[in-house]
Amino acid sequence: MEKLLRELFDRQRFEGHGALAKAVDDVQSRYFGGGLELSEEELDLVSAAGEPASVGIRLNEDKKK
Amino acid sequence: MNISPDRDSLYHEYSGRVAAYIGSRVSSREDAEDLCQEVFMKVYSSAESYDCSKAGVSTWIFTITRNTVIDYLRSKKETSELPEELADESTLTDRTFEALADAVSGLPREQRDIIVLRYYNGLTLKDIAALMGISYGMVKLRHKNALDFLKASLAK
């Protein structure tokens, strides 16, 4: 069983099984802080299109150059 | 039964997965890109002999990718020993992968955490106990219960 589980998670890196990927992400987030949770302040900076507002600012600055 | 999968559709469907897998195993980005190209050269050159009655397309491409990574790690000696999961030939069939993935996902959270930390992150049970802030004995018990549940799930 332990060999199968090692193979399972190795193959998971390739297959991306939906429920298992969610379980892995959940554990990484809770124990290693690898989640992508944004604070309220950071959420305010995300545009409706889902892009951080700072990207737009940088693009405008590039145009000025 | 042989089929010759279309090259473009194979690349379109699997290049992301191949790149993600190689990227998780190989630290050099440049080498990872070369390996990705190498995998698809092997896929294209062996497409004529691919037998879909023996393995699904995904399993076939995964096997080529995995073996390419193993050959690379051995040649580069990036690690003194191959990771345990790469040391032996894979025995996981498509059906077992799906069944086991579903079973792990269905474990109670306190057991699922231990299984992920042990077999995805490669931590020891002692490290897991420290990380979770519970006793080693409790981790051992939950780990055993999880393995028993998974074995029973696969036996159904």
mmCIF file of all heavy atoms in Angstrom, chain A residues 24-57:
data_model
loop_
_atom_site.group_PDB
_atom_site.id
_atom_site.type_symbol
_atom_site.label_atom_id
_atom_site.label_comp_id
_atom_site.label_asym_id
_atom_site.label_seq_id
_atom_site.Cartn_x
_atom_site.Cartn_y
_atom_site.Cartn_z
ATOM 1 N N VAL A 24 -4.293 17.999 -1.753
ATOM 2 C CA VAL A 24 -2.869 18.343 -1.643
ATOM 3 C C VAL A 24 -2.717 19.850 -1.418
ATOM 4 O O VAL A 24 -1.976 20.283 -0.520
ATOM 5 C CB VAL A 24 -2.098 17.909 -2.925
ATOM 6 C CG1 VAL A 24 -0.698 18.515 -2.953
ATOM 7 C CG2 VAL A 24 -2.010 16.389 -3.010
ATOM 8 N N ASP A 25 -3.410 20.652 -2.218
ATOM 9 C CA ASP A 25 -3.327 22.113 -2.082
ATOM 10 C C ASP A 25 -3.760 22.565 -0.689
ATOM 11 O O ASP A 25 -3.160 23.466 -0.098
ATOM 12 C CB ASP A 25 -4.207 22.814 -3.131
ATOM 13 C CG ASP A 25 -3.602 22.714 -4.514
ATOM 14 O OD1 ASP A 25 -2.423 22.327 -4.612
ATOM 15 O OD2 ASP A 25 -4.309 23.004 -5.499
ATOM 16 N N ASP A 26 -4.819 21.917 -0.185
ATOM 17 C CA ASP A 26 -5.344 22.265 1.129
ATOM 18 C C ASP A 26 -4.282 22.017 2.216
ATOM 19 O O ASP A 26 -4.047 22.875 3.078
ATOM 20 C CB ASP A 26 -6.601 21.406 1.389
ATOM 21 C CG ASP A 26 -7.160 21.614 2.785
ATOM 22 O OD1 ASP A 26 -7.338 22.779 3.167
ATOM 23 O OD2 ASP A 26 -7.408 20.613 3.487
ATOM 24 N N VAL A 27 -3.620 20.869 2.125
ATOM 25 C CA VAL A 27 -2.582 20.544 3.119
ATOM 26 C C VAL A 27 -1.391 21.498 2.995
ATOM 27 O O VAL A 27 -0.875 21.998 4.000
ATOM 28 C CB VAL A 27 -2.135 19.064 2.958
ATOM 29 C CG1 VAL A 27 -0.892 18.780 3.788
ATOM 30 C CG2 VAL A 27 -3.266 18.129 3.363
ATOM 31 N N GLN A 28 -0.967 21.771 1.761
ATOM 32 C CA GLN A 28 0.184 22.674 1.574
ATOM 33 C C GLN A 28 -0.138 24.055 2.132
ATOM 34 O O GLN A 28 0.693 24.709 2.744
ATOM 35 C CB GLN A 28 0.560 22.809 0.075
ATOM 36 C CG GLN A 28 0.840 21.499 -0.635
ATOM 37 C CD GLN A 28 1.777 20.580 0.113
ATOM 38 O OE1 GLN A 28 2.913 20.953 0.428
ATOM 39 N NE2 GLN A 28 1.316 19.376 0.435
ATOM 40 N N SER A 29 -1.373 24.466 1.902
ATOM 41 C CA SER A 29 -1.795 25.789 2.357
ATOM 42 C C SER A 29 -1.836 25.883 3.880
ATOM 43 O O SER A 29 -1.338 26.834 4.471
ATOM 44 C CB SER A 29 -3.179 26.082 1.758
ATOM 45 O OG SER A 29 -3.735 27.197 2.363
ATOM 46 N N ARG A 30 -2.393 24.846 4.523
ATOM 47 C CA ARG A 30 -2.548 24.903 5.979
ATOM 48 C C ARG A 30 -1.246 24.677 6.739
ATOM 49 O O ARG A 30 -1.009 25.274 7.774
ATOM 50 C CB ARG A 30 -3.605 23.891 6.439
ATOM 51 C CG ARG A 30 -5.027 24.407 6.213
ATOM 52 C CD ARG A 30 -6.069 23.502 6.808
ATOM 53 N NE ARG A 30 -6.186 22.257 6.073
ATOM 54 C CZ ARG A 30 -5.867 21.070 6.562
ATOM 55 N NH1 ARG A 30 -5.429 20.946 7.787
ATOM 56 N NH2 ARG A 30 -6.007 19.993 5.824
ATOM 57 N N TYR A 31 -0.357 23.807 6.201
ATOM 58 C CA TYR A 31 0.859 23.492 6.960
ATOM 59 C C TYR A 31 2.104 24.250 6.490
ATOM 60 O O TYR A 31 3.052 24.383 7.229
ATOM 61 C CB TYR A 31 1.137 21.984 6.918
ATOM 62 C CG TYR A 31 0.091 21.196 7.674
ATOM 63 C CD1 TYR A 31 -0.952 20.567 7.004
ATOM 64 C CD2 TYR A 31 0.127 21.114 9.058
ATOM 65 C CE1 TYR A 31 -1.929 19.863 7.686
ATOM 66 C CE2 TYR A 31 -0.846 20.414 9.759
ATOM 67 C CZ TYR A 31 -1.875 19.789 9.068
ATOM 68 O OH TYR A 31 -2.835 19.101 9.759
ATOM 69 N N PHE A 32 2.084 24.705 5.240
ATOM 70 C CA PHE A 32 3.288 25.372 4.730
ATOM 71 C C PHE A 32 2.995 26.777 4.226
ATOM 72 O O PHE A 32 3.853 27.411 3.621
ATOM 73 C CB PHE A 32 3.927 24.534 3.613
ATOM 74 C CG PHE A 32 4.231 23.123 4.023
ATOM 75 C CD1 PHE A 32 3.451 22.070 3.561
ATOM 76 C CD2 PHE A 32 5.264 22.845 4.907
ATOM 77 C CE1 PHE A 32 3.710 20.765 3.960
ATOM 78 C CE2 PHE A 32 5.533 21.545 5.304
ATOM 79 C CZ PHE A 32 4.752 20.499 4.837
ATOM 80 N N GLY A 33 1.748 27.211 4.398
ATOM 81 C CA GLY A 33 1.396 28.565 3.980
ATOM 82 C C GLY A 33 1.522 28.773 2.490
ATOM 83 O O GLY A 33 1.770 29.880 2.030
ATOM 84 N N GLY A 34 1.344 27.708 1.727
ATOM 85 C CA GLY A 34 1.506 27.822 0.265
ATOM 86 C C GLY A 34 0.249 28.233 -0.456
ATOM 87 O O GLY A 34 0.200 28.261 -1.679
ATOM 88 N N GLY A 35 -0.785 28.577 0.286
ATOM 89 C CA GLY A 35 -2.040 28.938 -0.349
ATOM 90 C C GLY A 35 -1.974 30.300 -1.001
ATOM 91 O O GLY A 35 -1.046 31.069 -0.776
ATOM 92 N N LEU A 36 -2.965 30.592 -1.803
ATOM 93 C CA LEU A 36 -2.980 31.875 -2.496
ATOM 94 C C LEU A 36 -4.076 32.774 -1.940
ATOM 95 O O LEU A 36 -4.673 33.557 -2.654
ATOM 96 C CB LEU A 36 -3.215 31.655 -4.001
ATOM 97 C CG LEU A 36 -2.050 30.988 -4.731
ATOM 98 C CD1 LEU A 36 -2.472 30.634 -6.144
ATOM 99 C CD2 LEU A 36 -0.838 31.889 -4.753
ATOM 100 N N GLU A 37 -4.333 32.581 -0.629
ATOM 101 C CA GLU A 37 -5.378 33.399 -0.034
ATOM 102 C C GLU A 37 -4.942 34.856 0.002
ATOM 103 O O GLU A 37 -3.842 35.192 0.401
ATOM 104 C CB GLU A 37 -5.663 32.918 1.390
ATOM 105 C CG GLU A 37 -6.517 31.666 1.410
ATOM 106 C CD GLU A 37 -6.798 31.202 2.821
ATOM 107 O OE1 GLU A 37 -6.835 32.050 3.722
ATOM 108 O OE2 GLU A 37 -6.986 29.999 3.006
ATOM 109 N N LEU A 38 -5.836 35.745 -0.427
ATOM 110 C CA LEU A 38 -5.536 37.166 -0.436
ATOM 111 C C LEU A 38 -6.253 37.861 0.706
ATOM 112 O O LEU A 38 -7.355 37.469 1.074
ATOM 113 C CB LEU A 38 -5.987 37.796 -1.768
ATOM 114 C CG LEU A 38 -5.328 37.251 -3.044
ATOM 115 C CD1 LEU A 38 -5.981 37.886 -4.266
ATOM 116 C CD2 LEU A 38 -3.848 37.535 -3.045
ATOM 117 N N SER A 39 -5.614 38.890 1.245
ATOM 118 C CA SER A 39 -6.265 39.655 2.298
ATOM 119 C C SER A 39 -7.344 40.531 1.657
ATOM 120 O O SER A 39 -7.386 40.695 0.432
ATOM 121 C CB SER A 39 -5.235 40.536 2.995
ATOM 122 O OG SER A 39 -4.768 41.512 2.089
ATOM 123 N N GLU A 40 -8.207 41.111 2.491
ATOM 124 C CA GLU A 40 -9.257 42.011 1.998
ATOM 125 C C GLU A 40 -8.640 43.144 1.183
ATOM 126 O O GLU A 40 -9.140 43.534 0.142
ATOM 127 C CB GLU A 40 -10.043 42.577 3.187
ATOM 128 C CG GLU A 40 -10.948 41.563 3.877
ATOM 129 C CD GLU A 40 -12.067 41.059 2.983
ATOM 130 O OE1 GLU A 40 -12.663 41.873 2.264
ATOM 131 O OE2 GLU A 40 -12.313 39.843 2.986
ATOM 132 N N GLU A 41 -7.513 43.671 1.706
ATOM 133 C CA GLU A 41 -6.840 44.794 1.044
ATOM 134 C C GLU A 41 -6.339 44.385 -0.346
ATOM 135 O O GLU A 41 -6.505 45.113 -1.326
ATOM 136 C CB GLU A 41 -5.657 45.227 1.915
ATOM 137 C CG GLU A 41 -5.260 46.668 1.732
ATOM 138 C CD GLU A 41 -4.150 47.036 2.709
ATOM 139 O OE1 GLU A 41 -3.878 46.277 3.645
ATOM 140 O OE2 GLU A 41 -3.565 48.101 2.506
ATOM 141 N N GLU A 42 -5.742 43.153 -0.393
ATOM 142 C CA GLU A 42 -5.228 42.668 -1.677
ATOM 143 C C GLU A 42 -6.371 42.398 -2.647
ATOM 144 O O GLU A 42 -6.243 42.644 -3.850
ATOM 145 C CB GLU A 42 -4.416 41.391 -1.459
ATOM 146 C CG GLU A 42 -3.058 41.648 -0.813
ATOM 147 C CD GLU A 42 -2.386 40.375 -0.325
ATOM 148 O OE1 GLU A 42 -3.100 39.441 0.099
ATOM 149 O OE2 GLU A 42 -1.165 40.344 -0.347
ATOM 150 N N LEU A 43 -7.498 41.894 -2.098
ATOM 151 C CA LEU A 43 -8.643 41.620 -2.965
ATOM 152 C C LEU A 43 -9.156 42.898 -3.621
ATOM 153 O O LEU A 43 -9.591 42.894 -4.767
ATOM 154 C CB LEU A 43 -9.775 40.954 -2.163
ATOM 155 C CG LEU A 43 -9.598 39.450 -1.905
ATOM 156 C CD1 LEU A 43 -10.672 38.964 -0.939
ATOM 157 C CD2 LEU A 43 -9.663 38.663 -3.200
ATOM 158 N N ASP A 44 -9.090 44.022 -2.879
ATOM 159 C CA ASP A 44 -9.536 45.304 -3.429
ATOM 160 C C ASP A 44 -8.688 45.723 -4.631
ATOM 161 O O ASP A 44 -9.136 46.478 -5.484
ATOM 162 C CB ASP A 44 -9.453 46.402 -2.351
ATOM 163 C CG ASP A 44 -10.534 46.216 -1.300
ATOM 164 O OD1 ASP A 44 -11.511 45.491 -1.596
ATOM 165 O OD2 ASP A 44 -10.403 46.775 -0.196
ATOM 166 N N LEU A 45 -7.450 45.242 -4.667
ATOM 167 C CA LEU A 45 -6.533 45.625 -5.747
ATOM 168 C C LEU A 45 -6.701 44.756 -6.990
ATOM 169 O O LEU A 45 -6.086 44.981 -8.012
ATOM 170 C CB LEU A 45 -5.079 45.540 -5.264
ATOM 171 C CG LEU A 45 -4.689 46.549 -4.185
ATOM 172 C CD1 LEU A 45 -3.302 46.231 -3.645
ATOM 173 C CD2 LEU A 45 -4.712 47.955 -4.762
ATOM 174 N N VAL A 46 -7.543 43.711 -6.870
ATOM 175 C CA VAL A 46 -7.753 42.827 -8.021
ATOM 176 C C VAL A 46 -8.886 43.380 -8.865
ATOM 177 O O VAL A 46 -9.970 43.663 -8.369
ATOM 178 C CB VAL A 46 -8.082 41.390 -7.553
ATOM 179 C CG1 VAL A 46 -8.376 40.492 -8.741
ATOM 180 C CG2 VAL A 46 -6.922 40.829 -6.752
ATOM 181 N N SER A 47 -8.639 43.541 -10.157
ATOM 182 C CA SER A 47 -9.657 44.099 -11.044
ATOM 183 C C SER A 47 -10.745 43.082 -11.312
ATOM 184 O O SER A 47 -10.612 41.906 -10.975
ATOM 185 C CB SER A 47 -9.008 44.511 -12.359
ATOM 186 O OG SER A 47 -8.651 43.338 -13.071
ATOM 187 N N ALA A 48 -11.803 43.507 -11.955
ATOM 188 C CA ALA A 48 -12.914 42.606 -12.267
ATOM 189 C C ALA A 48 -12.445 41.467 -13.155
ATOM 190 O O ALA A 48 -12.989 40.375 -13.128
ATOM 191 C CB ALA A 48 -14.024 43.387 -12.954
ATOM 192 N N ALA A 49 -11.424 41.713 -13.960
ATOM 193 C CA ALA A 49 -10.926 40.667 -14.859
ATOM 194 C C ALA A 49 -10.048 39.667 -14.123
ATOM 195 O O ALA A 49 -9.565 38.704 -14.692
ATOM 196 C CB ALA A 49 -10.115 41.302 -15.982
ATOM 197 N N GLY A 50 -9.834 39.921 -12.816
ATOM 198 C CA GLY A 50 -9.045 38.990 -12.032
ATOM 199 C C GLY A 50 -7.568 39.304 -12.033
ATOM 200 O O GLY A 50 -6.753 38.566 -11.516
ATOM 201 N N GLU A 51 -7.185 40.435 -12.673
ATOM 202 C CA GLU A 51 -5.766 40.795 -12.712
ATOM 203 C C GLU A 51 -5.480 41.816 -11.622
ATOM 204 O O GLU A 51 -6.293 42.702 -11.376
ATOM 205 C CB GLU A 51 -5.410 41.410 -14.068
ATOM 206 C CG GLU A 51 -5.533 40.400 -15.198
ATOM 207 C CD GLU A 51 -5.469 41.084 -16.542
ATOM 208 O OE1 GLU A 51 -5.710 42.307 -16.604
ATOM 209 O OE2 GLU A 51 -5.206 40.388 -17.517
ATOM 210 N N PRO A 52 -4.313 41.707 -10.989
ATOM 211 C CA PRO A 52 -3.985 42.695 -9.971
ATOM 212 C C PRO A 52 -3.955 44.085 -10.590
ATOM 213 O O PRO A 52 -3.452 44.262 -11.702
ATOM 214 C CB PRO A 52 -2.581 42.271 -9.508
ATOM 215 C CG PRO A 52 -2.397 40.872 -9.979
ATOM 216 C CD PRO A 52 -3.255 40.722 -11.183
ATOM 217 N N ALA A 53 -4.501 45.066 -9.899
ATOM 218 C CA ALA A 53 -4.556 46.424 -10.434
ATOM 219 C C ALA A 53 -3.156 46.958 -10.715
ATOM 220 O O ALA A 53 -2.949 47.747 -11.623
ATOM 221 C CB ALA A 53 -5.268 47.326 -9.433
ATOM 222 N N SER A 54 -2.158 46.492 -9.946
ATOM 223 C CA SER A 54 -0.794 46.994 -10.133
ATOM 224 C C SER A 54 -0.269 46.687 -11.527
ATOM 225 O O SER A 54 0.574 47.376 -12.051
ATOM 226 C CB SER A 54 0.145 46.415 -9.088
ATOM 227 O OG SER A 54 0.119 45.010 -9.157
ATOM 228 N N VAL A 55 -0.789 45.606 -12.153
ATOM 229 C CA VAL A 55 -0.358 45.259 -13.514
ATOM 230 C C VAL A 55 -0.754 46.378 -14.464
ATOM 231 O O VAL A 55 0.011 46.821 -15.307
ATOM 232 C CB VAL A 55 -0.994 43.919 -13.978
ATOM 233 C CG1 VAL A 55 -0.714 43.680 -15.444
ATOM 234 C CG2 VAL A 55 -0.467 42.774 -13.132
ATOM 235 N N GLY A 56 -1.974 46.863 -14.281
ATOM 236 C CA GLY A 56 -2.451 47.953 -15.131
ATOM 237 C C GLY A 56 -1.608 49.199 -14.949
ATOM 238 O O GLY A 56 -1.269 49.887 -15.915
ATOM 239 N N ILE A 57 -1.241 49.485 -13.710
ATOM 240 C CA ILE A 57 -0.417 50.667 -13.427
ATOM 241 C C ILE A 57 0.923 50.526 -14.141
ATOM 242 O O ILE A 57 1.391 51.437 -14.800
ATOM 243 C CB ILE A 57 -0.201 50.810 -11.900
ATOM 244 C CG1 ILE A 57 -1.539 51.124 -11.234
ATOM 245 C CG2 ILE A 57 0.825 51.898 -11.605
ATOM 246 C CD1 ILE A 57 -1.521 50.981 -9.718
#
